[in-house]
Amino acid sequence: MNKITIIGTGSVGSTIAYTLTLTGIASEIVMIDVNSEKALGEALDIRQGTPFCSPCSIYAGSYVDAKDSDI
């Protein structure tokens, strides 16, 4: 199980999260942004757009959720 936290959900952060989901590198992705609603929207968009990929839990969170991340 690889847990990865991405800080910043702009173009770069969202693209990284999407790519990690497609490649199956991560089993859990936490997306953190100062704008928590944007982080939630990006996580939901990626989750909805990748139903046939390897199972990956992707969600918006806070720095507390980043605990025990591998990256």
Side-chain angles (χ1 to χ4, degrees):
M1 178 170 147
N2 293 323
K3 181 176 180 180
I4 297 175
T5 297
I6 298 172
I7 300 172
T9 59
S11 297
V12 174
S14 297
T15 301
I16 290 170
Y18 178 70
T19 303
L20 289 170
T21 304
L22 288 180
T23 59
I25 292 173
S27 57
E28 184 177 357
I29 299 172
V30 182
M31 299 183 76
I32 300 173
D33 197 278
V34 68
N35 182 345
S36 59
E37 290 181 8
K38 178 167 177 31
L40 176 61
E42 293 294 340
L44 291 174
D45 283 349
I46 293 169
R47 190 182 317 165
Q48 183 179 22
T50 56
F52 301 109
C53 294
S54 299
C56 179
S57 174
I58 182 166
Y59 56 92
S62 65
Y63 288 103
V64 174
D65 300 309
K67 182 181 179 187
D68 298 325
S69 290
D70 297 302
I71 298 175

